[in-house]
């Protein structure tokens, strides 16, 4: 079945460091891929998405490229800020009812 | 983007009582709504999927008589936790999608504490 495997955290970085959070997926067909961010005590917000192979999603300095050959959708940011501290979820939208499958989430803490 | 409003944001209730959580789509018609449960430091677990005017489809292991879901209109879905117990304490999040099926929008979540 469809599933997402996400790098476990927590991840702790200094401000302006480079960030990579790995995400790989298993799916039938051609899923859409997403990264969501969850700030403390809040729901999820869509950070970026990609709907087909080789697409690059980007937002707020974050990027992720849909790699079909490696079934990956790694999240990257060149220079993190304290305000980026949150939990990040990788997700795929499967073909069955269009439901979302989430990874376990990665806690990111950025220190000044 | 579209807005999904979830209410209340937190609630404390006594064991044995029922709690209703509302999820509203404010500026679009939500033909499909999803209810998730999130345990501390864990991912979201899909509880059920509901389509407007139909009975909800529950995931395996989720008690439909305990977690009552109603999706009576295109802008409102409710989750009622019946006869709540401390083990039901969790963070519940709703998500809504329109008929274009392009993206799901999430509510702010509800922190339920059963004492």
């Amino acid at each position: 079945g469809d599933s997402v495997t996400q790098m476990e955290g927590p991840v702790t970085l200094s401000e302006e460091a480079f960030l990579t959070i790995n995400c790989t997926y298993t799916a039938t067909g051609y899923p859409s891929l997403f990264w969501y961010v969850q700030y403390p005590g809040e729901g999820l917000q869509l950070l970026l998405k990609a709907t087909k192979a080789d697409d690059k999603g980007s937002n707020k300095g974050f990027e992720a490229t849909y790699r079909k050959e490696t079934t990956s959708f790694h999240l990257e940011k060149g220079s993190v800020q304290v305000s980026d501290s949150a939990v990040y979820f990788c997700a795929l939208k499967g073909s069955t009812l269009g439901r979302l499958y989430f990874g376990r989430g990665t806690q990111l803490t950025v220190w000044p | 983007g579209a807005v999904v409003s979830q209410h209340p944001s937190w609630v404390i209730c006594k064991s044995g009582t029922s709690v209703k959580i509302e999820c509203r789509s404010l500026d679009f018609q939500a033909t499909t709504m999803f209810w998730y449960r999130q345990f501390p430091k864990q991912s979201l677990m899909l509880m059920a999927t509901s389509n407007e005017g139909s009975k909800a489809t529950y995931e395996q292991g989720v008690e439909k008589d305990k977690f009552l879901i109603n999706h009576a209109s295109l802008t409102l879905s409710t989750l009622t936790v019946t006869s709540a117990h401390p083990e039901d304490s969790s963070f519940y999040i709703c998500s809504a999608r329109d008929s274009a099926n392009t993206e799901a929008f999430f509510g702010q979540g509800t922190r339920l504490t059963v004492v």
Side-chain angles (χ1 to χ4, degrees):
Chain A
D2 295 350
S3 67
V4 174
T5 301
Q6 186 176 341
M7 179 177 102
E8 290 193 22
V11 174
T12 303
L13 296 172
S14 297
E15 208 164 23
E16 298 183 4
F18 184 84
L19 168 72
T20 298
I21 301 177
N22 290 337
C23 172
T24 57
Y25 68 90
T26 302
T28 54
Y30 303 94
S32 295
L33 301 173
F34 305 83
W35 277 100
Y36 285 88
V37 57
Q38 183 181 34
Y39 297 100
E42 298 183 14
L44 273 68
Q45 300 175 27
L46 178 64
L47 180 60
L48 54 84
K49 66 180 180 182
T51 57
K52 61 183 187 298
D54 299 326
D55 269 2
K56 177 185 284 188
S58 62
N59 185 27
K60 299 180 181 179
F62 291 89
E63 292 183 341
T65 301
Y66 188 153
R67 302 281 189 203
K68 197 172 191 306
E69 63 275 14
T70 55
T71 61
S72 65
F73 193 56
H74 305 322
L75 181 68
E76 296 182 337
K77 186 173 186 181
S79 176
V80 294
Q81 305 300 313
V82 172
S83 57
D84 293 327
S85 298
V87 180
Y88 292 81
F89 291 93
C90 184
L92 75 81
K93 182 179 166 185
S95 55
T96 305
L97 296 177
R99 61 168 288 183
L100 287 170
Y101 294 84
F102 287 90
R104 293 175 62 86
T106 301
Q107 172 74 56
L108 169 66
T109 302
V110 181
W111 296 101
Chain B
V3 177
V4 174
S5 177
Q6 191 173 336
H7 178 81
S9 56
W10 60 270
V11 58
I12 301 173
C13 69
K14 292 184 178 180
S15 287
T17 61
S18 295
V19 173
K20 180 183 285 187
I21 302 170
E22 293 188 348
C23 181
R24 294 180 184 272
S25 58
L26 299 186
D27 49 5
F28 67 101
Q29 293 186 328
T31 51
T32 305
M33 284 192 172
F34 303 88
W35 285 95
Y36 295 86
R37 182 174 180 176
Q38 185 181 29
F39 294 98
K41 298 185 179 181
Q42 294 192 30
S43 189
L44 283 74
M45 181 191 80
L46 180 64
M47 299 174 66
T49 302
S50 72
N51 292 296
E52 184 265 338
S54 318
K55 288 185 178 180
T57 301
Y58 289 80
E59 295 297 304
Q60 192 171 8
V62 178
E63 297 177 64
K64 60 181 66 177
D65 293 331
K66 180 165 189 61
F67 299 100
L68 302 178
I69 291 172
N70 183 280
H71 191 170
S73 78
L74 285 171
T75 59
L76 174 65
S77 176
T78 61
L79 166 67
T80 301
V81 183
T82 62
S83 187
H85 289 93
E87 57 265 31
D88 298 325
S89 299
S90 194
F91 195 58
Y92 294 87
I93 304 176
C94 72
S95 172
R97 195 175 64 211
D98 62 17
S99 58
N101 204 25
T102 53
E103 183 179 332
F105 300 94
F106 286 81
Q108 307 94 315
T110 298
R111 171 73 59 194
L112 170 63
T113 302
V114 184
V115 297

